Amino acid sequence: KTGQRLIVFMRGIGGSHRSFEEEGLVADVWACGLSCDIVAPNAHFGYYGDRTLIDRLKKDVIDPAKAKGYREIWLVGFSMGGLGSLLYYMGYPDDIARVYLIAPFLGTPAFLAQIEAAGGARQWEPGEYDPERDWQRLLWHWLKKSIAGHPEKIVYLGYGANDLSAGGHKLLAELLPPQRVQVIQGGHDYQTFKTLWKNFLEQR
């Protein structure tokens, strides 16, 4: 244990929890001199599919970390892991100090098109929905209500301008302070992800 800060890397649907070390993202943290420990749980798609991700993450990672004395926990989510990071932060905001989203999955194109057609998330209204079944409306209702206009909720967003999901990223960017949003040239690939993460580390 090197300090009181823990970084939790949340993997995407491809690769594995080992990818962060293999692709050099862990080395980037050490290179910048950040005092922290790092963990990368194997939070694969199955945990999203059966809706056990948040419960397992809390019981297996977050609560034990707090018990060990970590005072500051960062969630760093890539692609699908970005969605997992947001869902955890929505459920347990007091557990997390910062959330870094790298090209997060934020919903289906058809759903995000509804928000865009409404003029953005601030104008969009979720209407009546079942929060147990409609995670997309639940997520965006929370983003609209609890993240937009709340700079104390420290959420960062980075994505490549040529990412196929950039439309959804732009919708989220409109809800965040501009200085916490980073857009670079690139697509949905490790090289873009690594550059965004390095940039975030430099400006932390």
Side-chain angles (χ1 to χ4, degrees):
K1 186 175 173 185
T2 61
Q4 295 182 320
R5 180 186 296 116
L6 180 68
I7 291 178
V8 182
F9 278 126
M10 298 289 288
R11 55 167 282 191
I13 201 167
S16 81
H17 59 298
R18 298 184 183 89
S19 299
F20 302 110
E21 187 167 13
E22 293 167 354
E23 294 291 338
L25 285 92
V26 171
D28 289 337
V29 177
W30 305 140
C32 78
L34 184 65
S35 176
C36 67
D37 289 320
I38 298 171
V39 64
N42 189 20
H44 54 73
F45 180 72
Y47 289 100
Y48 293 79
D50 63 13
R51 302 192 171 215
T52 59
L53 174 77
I54 307 308
D55 186 52
R56 298 279 16 125
L57 188 59
K58 182 162 183 64
K59 290 180 178 176
D60 297 346
V61 179
I62 305 299
D63 283 351
K66 291 165 67 179
K68 289 177 182 175
Y70 291 103
R71 295 186 179 180
E72 188 175 306
I73 299 174
W74 296 2
L75 290 180
V76 184
F78 297 76
S79 194
M80 183 183 68
L83 171 62
S85 299
L86 281 175
L87 292 175
Y88 188 90
Y89 193 42
M90 178 171 63
Y92 300 102
D94 293 340
D95 286 354
I96 305 302
R98 294 186 182 190
V99 177
Y100 288 90
L101 305 171
I102 309 287
F105 175 69
L106 297 170
T108 64
F111 178 80
L112 295 171
Q114 296 176 26
I115 298 177
E116 190 170 358
R122 293 178 194 272
Q123 288 74 39
W124 169 79
E125 292 296 336
E128 293 292 325
Y129 66 95
D130 180 354
E132 293 294 320
R133 309 183 85 177
D134 196 340
W135 66 265
Q136 296 183 108
R137 288 188 190 280
L138 178 67
L139 174 68
W140 280 92
H141 190 193
W142 170 73
L143 289 169
K144 170 189 173 80
K145 181 176 62 177
S146 300
I147 297 299
H150 292 272
E152 75 281 3
K153 299 287 183 71
I154 303 180
V155 175
Y156 290 81
L157 169 67
Y159 62 96
N162 301 319
D163 194 310
L164 294 178
S165 299
H169 302 149
K170 290 176 186 175
L171 292 172
L172 177 56
E174 293 170 1
L175 303 182
L176 302 176
Q179 67 271 22
R180 293 183 188 161
V181 177
Q182 187 179 152
V183 188
I184 65 172
Q185 287 302 311
H188 199 84
D189 53 67
Y190 273 121
Q191 190 54 53
T192 304
F193 297 171
K194 289 193 285 187
T195 302
L196 288 164
W197 179 233
K198 274 187 178 179
N199 291 349
F200 277 136
L201 286 170
E202 289 172 3
Q203 72 175 51
R204 71 184 190 282

